[in-house]
């Protein structure tokens, strides 16, 4: 599994970071960093993070 980020939509709200901190992080410039590929066993929590993104900036790839 992989995650695609639409950086034009992402506001770095951090909802995904709160749900899946082993996959998502924010750098010092508040830009989203995604672990590629998603670690095995993290798929369900990542799908939840994608669904909860307030700007719909995340998609399963």
């Amino acid at each position: 599994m992989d995650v695609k980020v639409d950086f034009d939509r992402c506001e770095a709200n951090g909802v995904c970071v709160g749900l899946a901190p082993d996959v998502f992080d924010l750098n010092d410039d508040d830009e989203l960093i995604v672990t590629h590929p998603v670690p095995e066993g993290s798929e369900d929590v990542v799908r939840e993070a994608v669904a909860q993104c307030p700007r719909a900036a995340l998609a399963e790839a």
Side-chain angles (χ1 to χ4, degrees):
M1 173 184 195
D2 208 358
V3 177
K4 181 180 175 183
V5 181
D6 181 343
F7 288 101
D8 290 331
R9 296 185 67 99
C10 181
E11 292 181 335
N13 292 307
V15 172
C16 55
V17 178
L19 291 169
D22 58 325
V23 177
F24 301 101
D25 198 6
L26 296 174
N27 68 15
D28 292 337
D29 295 324
D30 281 336
E31 297 169 331
L32 185 63
I33 300 168
V34 183
T35 301
H36 294 281
V38 171
E40 191 172 321
S42 297
E43 294 89 352
D44 288 342
V45 72
V46 169
R47 285 185 184 101
E48 182 64 24
V50 168
Q52 295 297 322
C53 180
R55 296 284 297 149
L58 303 174
E60 189 174 338

